[in-house]
Amino acid sequence: MINRTQVGIVGAGPAGLLLAHLLQLEDIESVVLETRSREEIEATLRAGVLEQGTVDVLNESGVGERMMREGFVHHGIVLRFAGRSHRIDLTGLSGGRSIMVYAQHEVIKDLAKARLDAGAPIEFGVKDVTLLDLDTAAPRIRYRDGAGALRELACDYVAGCDGFHGVSRPTIPSRRRTEFTRVYPFGWFGILVEAPPATDELIYAHHERGFALVSTRSPSIQRLYLQCEPEDQVANWPDARIWQELHTRLATGDGWRLTEGRIFQKGIVAMRSFVVEPMQYGHLFLAGDAAHIVPPTGAKGLNLAVADVRVLARALTAFYRDKRSDLLEQYSTTALRRVWRAEHFSWWMTSMLHRFHDDTPFHHRLQLAELDYVTRSRAKATTLAENYAGLPLD
Ligand code: FAD
Ligand code: DHB
């Protein structure tokens, strides 16, 4: 059976769902195809930090109400190194911007609800998604629906929002794309804990045993990460080892102590930097993790996905409303400028805060010198603050 829509969207992550929502506000029709179930996408634990521009987009498009009620606005972060804490005043240094701690899966729930309440389709549980005729004005998406029936969706444009492991990017002929990759020699071990917050602001800790991060989710649930081996296994980390490592890496001279609690979730995240250029092939546009990955240290991945789809939604709106294709033609160039800024920031934060396998005492001293400079120089702290809180979207 063949259906028709204006924009076929592959993937119901933050990129796909927000794009569908922004297009719907402009009366542009789309169909979202997702391999997983609604329950699965709403239960996947990932990002926690929304930058100012992301918060603004969600509010301006009418899906920010629960985030404003349940999220936590933070005006600073703490860098901890050599046993001492140093606050970076994000708001004071970035011209009044702040960040919101609100879990990615809550954003997903808000976006999925907005779309389904509006009676617009998200097809969950699809299989065998194949993109066809992308280099023509009549691209098609072939797939099996949740019941196993073969379907085809004819569209004007396809948005590849299917994440790093999706089908969209590999569908672009290899001679028409260039990929840039860096894999880091470590991962992040993440836990969720039943405990009250131990700190008012996120703590990014540099330690000779490796990086640690204290984040939060709610007054009773905390999110903690620590640097681990790239091929590490959850089974290698009994609770007692996790707490010992966290206490060691986060120790300060002033008696501050992390609050322990019941650990109810453990997982390992790989760390890589990746960009594909261009982010377009014919009538296919890539957005979010399908086009780029950053290591999580700068908290940029979800925010980049949001920035991409805002540029793409505007370009598609100019096409449908004013018959202008110039913004679509510029999409990749426009998006990549922000992508590479975030790639650099994420690489810089990662390099400054983690222990590397080939670390020498010289390298360790260089990291400490950089951290010392960031916390003493207003110019350097401003660089961190404006990138972390997020450069303006326009
Ligand atoms: P995804 O979220 O990966 O969504 C893609 C969707 O496409 C998925 O639902 C997938 O099931 C679906 N899909 C895949 N293949 C197909 C197919 N063939 N057909 C149809 N559907 C398909 N970012 C931040 O900004 N701040 C943070 O604090 C932060 N912390 C993070 C912490 C962790 C532990 C991790 C893992 C990531 C973190 N990130 C953070 C990154 C952020 O989670 C991602 O950048 C974000 O999810 C990207 O959204 P996306 O929509 O592009 O891709
Ligand atoms: C969280 C994740 C990040 O990658 C980060 O830099 C800060 C916080 C989090 O999950 O809360």
Side-chain angles (χ1 to χ4, degrees):
M1 191 167 115
I2 299 184
N3 285 324
R4 235 211 89 72
T5 191
Q6 289 176 304
V7 183
I9 300 178
V10 188
L17 288 175
L18 181 62
L19 178 64
H21 177 64
L22 295 177
L23 293 179
Q24 162 139 6
L25 295 177
E26 301 293 342
D27 290 326
I28 300 168
E29 202 185 88
S30 66
V31 171
V32 181
L33 303 176
E34 165 62 51
T35 43
R36 297 185 297 158
S37 67
R38 182 174 182 186
E39 293 68 34
E40 280 174 282
I41 64 163
E42 292 186 349
T44 305
L45 293 173
R46 294 184 86 180
V49 174
L50 310 183
E51 59 184 43
Q52 180 78 58
T54 299
V55 170
D56 294 345
V57 170
L58 295 175
N59 277 327
E60 284 158 16
S61 65
V63 285
E65 192 253 335
R66 198 166 66 93
M67 168 186 73
M68 296 311 285
R69 237 181 322 118
E70 297 180 11
F72 299 91
V73 176
H74 287 202
H75 297 288
I77 57 166
V78 172
L79 294 180
R80 187 169 286 178
F81 58 96
R84 293 190 53 192
S85 290
H86 305 259
R87 180 170 191 265
I88 302 287
D89 177 5
L90 295 177
T91 302
L93 292 165
S94 69
R97 300 167 79 76
S98 56
I99 54 154
M100 174 78 80
V101 180
Y102 186 65
Q104 175 169 328
H105 66 278
E106 304 295 348
V107 176
I108 293 280
K109 284 184 203 166
D110 297 341
L111 287 168
K113 181 172 186 307
R115 181 155 181 93
L116 296 170
D117 283 355
I122 303 177
E123 289 207 36
F124 291 106
V126 305
K127 287 195 184 65
D128 304 337
V129 174
T130 314
L131 310 185
L132 303 163
D133 301 335
L134 293 171
D135 54 351
T136 73
R140 291 171 295 138
I141 308 177
R142 189 176 290 156
Y143 63 100
R144 285 194 187 277
D145 66 16
L150 198 58
R151 315 268 298 229
E152 219 170 86
L153 186 64
C155 353
D156 299 331
Y157 291 102
V158 177
C161 302
D162 47 354
F164 185 64
H165 301 287
V167 293
S168 300
R169 188 183 64 254
T171 304
I172 303 175
S174 52
R175 64 179 192 287
R176 297 288 299 272
R177 61 183 145 99
T178 308
E179 299 186 345
F180 304 85
T181 307
R182 182 186 183 93
V183 177
Y184 297 84
F186 38 75
W188 275 16
F189 191 92
I191 57 169
L192 282 170
V193 183
E194 272 172 17
T199 165
D200 292 337
E201 295 178 333
L202 271 61
I203 302 172
Y204 285 79
H206 172 273
H207 191 273
E208 59 198 15
R209 294 186 59 81
F211 170 75
L213 168 61
V214 183
S215 181
T216 184
R217 283 294 177 270
S218 75
S220 57
I221 297 178
Q222 309 315 315
R223 181 77 166 137
L224 302 161
Y225 297 96
L226 50 86
Q227 176 181 348
C228 63
E229 295 301 316
E231 309 295 332
D232 225 331
Q233 305 288 322
V234 168
N236 295 338
W237 287 89
D239 294 7
R241 180 179 175 209
I242 297 173
W243 289 120
Q244 190 187 8
E245 232 12 88
L246 283 169
H247 286 307
T248 305
R249 295 186 194 185
L250 290 161
T252 55
D254 62 10
W256 177 91
R257 203 172 153 79
L258 184 65
T259 323
E260 292 190 19
R262 186 176 75 84
I263 300 174
F264 62 95
Q265 203 272 339
K266 299 180 184 177
I268 292 180
V269 185
M271 307 272 284
R272 78 171 74 230
S273 301
F274 173 86
V275 181
V276 68
E277 289 186 358
M279 288 168 58
Q280 178 195 0
Y281 168 67
H283 278 222
L284 168 71
F285 294 92
L286 300 178
D289 280 16
H292 41 72
I293 296 286
V294 285
T297 327
K300 285 284 156 271
L302 165 62
N303 294 296
L304 272 185
V306 168
D308 286 352
V309 298
R310 206 173 80 126
V311 173
L312 186 54
R314 287 194 170 177
L316 287 164
T317 303
F319 173 77
Y320 284 109
R321 196 195 286 157
D322 308 323
K323 297 198 168 35
R324 276 176 56 189
S325 58
D326 55 328
L327 295 184
L328 280 174
E329 283 153 21
Q330 291 157 22
Y331 166 72
S332 178
T333 308
T334 307
L336 281 168
R337 189 176 306 135
R338 187 181 190 86
V339 167
W340 277 111
R341 174 87 298 281
E343 288 288 342
H344 183 275
F345 177 67
S346 304
W347 163 84
W348 174 70
M349 287 282 281
T350 303
S351 307
M352 179 169 70
L353 287 162
H354 289 74
R355 187 194 145 91
F356 285 73
H357 282 298
D358 55 356
D359 259 5
T360 58
F362 176 75
H363 182 246
H364 188 76
R365 288 287 191 285
L366 286 184
Q367 287 182 324
L368 290 173
E370 183 78 336
L371 283 159
D372 187 50
Y373 185 42
V374 169
T375 51
R376 280 169 178 270
S377 152
R378 192 176 171 88
K380 195 76 178 175
T382 302
T383 297
L384 192 157
E386 68 179 9
N387 279 277
Y388 192 89
L391 294 162
L393 280 173
D394 290 312

